[in-house]
Amino acid sequence: MSNLKLNDKRTTNGWAMYDWANSVYSLTITTAVFPIYYEEVTTTADGNTLVKFLFWELPNTVLYSYALSFSFLITALMLPLLSGIADCTGKKKLFLKIFAYLGAMSCAGMFFFEGSNIEFGILMVILASIGYSGGLVFYDAFLPEISTVDRYDKLSAKGYSLGYVGSVILLIFNLIMIQKPEVFGLESGSLPARISFLTVAIWWIGFSQITFRRLPSNPFNRKASDAWLKKGYQELRSVYREIQGLPNLKRYVLAYFFFNAGVQAVMYLASLFGAKELNLETAALIQIVLIIQLVAIGGAYLFAELSKRKGNIVSLMVMIGIWVLVCVIAFFIKTELQFYGLAFLVGIIMGGIQALSRSTYSKLIPKETEDHASFFSFYNVTFNLSIVMGTLAYGSIELLTGSMRYSAIGLSAFFVIGLVLIQKVKVKSA
């Protein structure tokens, strides 16, 4: 058993600060600045969007979608074993550090991507994504170790809300730098955007130190073994057998796979949709992203409160239903003002569904288990594979139809399936 004091304010605040630290990647790199920068530097002056990557020639946005798919597939393949090793050796925090530094340094590497070196740029995209998503399994695994069940929803929402606030602060700074480079003694062009990638790395590494100092290193006092690889595999196999006897947990993971595929595809590719389908300027796109982030703060707490009153599953079902509506609206959207309205709607449900997805899973794993990293590896493998499916479907539909509008409407199928499946899940009240 853990000798760690649960609900300790210093520990829980330190845990939530990792959301503050790493969410700048989600906003600046995956949503706001880098996708727009990537689309600009890989589009020729005459409007040609085809790029040559190794032996292939693809539309730039399709290549980007496939790169994300590949990164999450790699993460999904390696995380289960790593999480088993982390559980049997008590090294969750060490693995969290490794992935955090990998992700942050890859963001710094994006500074050197200028469009012509497309292979290097895609490599940095893949490594940064692995660093971000890989760290989440070890970060999330601390939630049931530092908090009691009745506080999962609220603490999870707090983490996401801190992430939204922190990422908005840095994005505003970067937006000013990109729009008014002379204020910083910079010339207009690509340099301000590339510097913003460096700021993400500095922010991520800097603020994660708070988390690293406050989280316990080995709460269950596990003894490291020389046969750590074998032990890690055995740990993973043991947890897998345990999950087979938890049908309710399996049902939730399956539902999560489908609705998260849609959520993540929208989050990763929304700015490219605005740039390519609506021809929105960079400033407008970043403003829209800011709206989403700010509204998401309230959305996280709004749906945490709804889950308190009506239960997690009802709250998730409401949000999934709204996501279906978002996909349909995106297909018909024509103007910038309409896109702003859609962004507001996405913001409300984005914060809520991310926070509640994590806390709901925490409630479904056995209370007596000490193998939280291994249990959360299955959650995060599902997370990663669902992104592979979502981004691959999005990119493939665009490749076949020539329009991201059909990609958006295609994502609605993931939400509908998720909505049907999640109705069969039962979550006990705290």
Side-chain angles (χ1 to χ4, degrees):
M1 293 294 292
S2 172
N3 55 10
L4 183 68
K5 179 183 176 182
L6 298 180
N7 301 324
D8 177 72
K9 191 172 182 180
R10 186 176 185 275
T11 303
T12 56
N13 285 343
W15 176 84
M17 280 300 294
Y18 189 71
D19 259 312
W20 172 283
N22 77 343
S23 289
V24 293
Y25 163 83
S26 296
L27 186 54
T28 298
I29 302 298
T30 69
T31 307
V33 180
F34 184 79
I36 300 168
Y37 170 79
Y38 168 85
E39 204 268 340
E40 288 180 349
V41 299
T42 55
T43 301
T44 61
D46 60 359
N48 182 19
T49 60
L50 290 177
V51 292
K52 291 182 179 179
F53 179 78
L54 298 177
F55 307 108
W56 297 281
E57 188 173 68
L58 293 167
N60 52 7
T61 50
V62 172
L63 174 61
Y64 187 73
S65 297
Y66 287 173
L68 291 175
S69 300
F70 178 75
S71 70
F72 287 110
L73 179 60
I74 293 298
T75 306
L77 291 173
M78 68 179 178
L79 273 185
L81 182 58
L82 292 181
S83 64
I85 295 170
D87 271 334
C88 78
T89 61
K91 299 292 186 182
K92 284 195 298 294
K93 189 161 75 169
L94 174 62
F95 281 99
L96 176 59
K97 288 181 179 181
I98 291 171
F99 281 100
Y101 292 140
L102 171 64
M105 295 310 297
S106 299
C107 291
M110 291 177 181
F111 173 84
F112 301 100
F113 171 56
E114 297 179 324
S116 58
N117 52 342
I118 187 69
E119 287 83 5
F120 175 79
I122 292 298
L123 177 62
M124 291 301 101
V125 167
I126 291 171
L127 292 179
S129 175
I130 291 173
Y132 173 77
S133 59
L136 288 178
V137 63
F138 305 104
Y139 167 61
D140 291 344
F142 276 103
L143 177 59
E145 295 183 357
I146 63 175
S147 174
T148 52
V149 177
D150 60 306
R151 301 194 185 184
Y152 285 176
D153 292 345
K154 190 172 182 180
L155 181 56
S156 184
K158 180 178 183 177
Y160 275 107
S161 296
L162 278 175
Y164 296 139
V165 173
S167 57
V168 164
I169 290 173
L170 185 62
L171 182 61
I172 290 174
F173 171 81
N174 286 329
L175 179 59
I176 295 172
M177 180 172 60
I178 292 168
Q179 296 297 313
K180 302 288 184 181
E182 65 276 5
V183 174
F184 299 86
L186 301 173
E187 296 182 1
S188 59
S190 67
L191 183 60
R194 289 162 51 217
I195 290 177
S196 73
F197 309 148
L198 290 177
T199 67
V200 168
I202 295 169
W203 182 288
W204 192 348
I205 290 175
F207 283 108
S208 64
Q209 302 308 310
I210 299 174
T211 302
F212 299 155
R213 285 200 301 268
R214 296 187 181 184
L215 283 181
S217 295
N218 190 356
F220 294 103
N221 299 312
R222 294 289 182 90
K223 301 296 183 182
S225 168
D226 291 337
W228 52 266
L229 186 60
K230 180 180 178 181
K231 291 287 187 181
Y233 175 74
Q234 291 173 343
E235 191 80 27
L236 176 64
R237 188 171 58 180
S238 173
V239 170
Y240 179 76
R241 284 198 298 264
E242 192 170 356
I243 287 176
Q244 295 307 301
L246 300 169
N248 206 37
L249 182 64
K250 290 198 295 182
R251 283 193 291 267
Y252 176 74
V253 168
L254 183 60
Y256 176 71
F257 172 83
F258 283 101
F259 73 74
N260 189 64
V263 170
Q264 298 300 323
V266 171
M267 289 175 57
Y268 275 88
L269 302 164
S271 57
L272 288 178
F273 180 94
K276 202 165 188 178
E277 294 295 332
L278 301 176
N279 298 314
L280 298 182
E281 298 292 332
T282 299
L285 288 168
I286 295 179
Q287 288 168 10
I288 288 169
V289 169
L290 284 173
I291 290 174
I292 293 175
Q293 298 296 308
L294 292 172
V295 173
I297 297 169
Y301 285 106
L302 172 67
F303 284 99
E305 183 63 27
L306 179 60
S307 71
K308 183 179 179 181
R309 295 173 182 271
K310 299 293 184 179
N312 289 55
I313 300 305
V314 170
S315 187
L316 285 168
M317 286 174 61
V318 170
M319 286 185 284
I320 295 169
I322 298 174
W323 276 107
V324 175
L325 181 62
V326 165
C327 293
V328 175
I329 294 174
F331 181 80
F332 294 102
I333 205 166
K334 298 291 184 182
T335 68
E336 181 176 332
L337 182 61
Q338 291 172 340
F339 200 57
Y340 273 95
L342 187 62
F344 185 87
L345 185 60
V346 168
I348 292 175
I349 51 178
M350 184 180 75
I353 203 163
Q354 288 183 295
L356 270 186
S357 295
R358 176 169 63 188
S359 60
T360 301
Y361 184 82
S362 297
K363 292 179 179 180
L364 290 170
I365 64 177
K367 293 181 180 179
E368 67 278 3
T369 187
E370 297 180 1
D371 301 321
H372 294 107
S374 293
F375 267 100
F376 266 95
S377 76
F378 284 92
Y379 176 78
N380 282 276
V381 164
T382 305
F383 173 87
N384 287 298
L385 289 178
S386 68
I387 299 178
V388 172
M389 180 65 72
T391 54
L392 192 61
Y394 195 99
S396 297
I397 294 172
E398 183 196 356
L399 186 62
L400 291 172
T401 66
S403 172
M404 285 187 168
R405 293 182 184 274
Y406 291 100
S407 298
I409 200 70
L411 292 179
S412 64
F414 290 110
F415 291 113
V416 171
I417 295 171
L419 183 60
V420 171
L421 292 173
I422 203 167
Q423 296 179 57
K424 300 179 181 179
V425 179
K426 306 296 181 184
V427 178
K428 293 182 180 179
S429 300

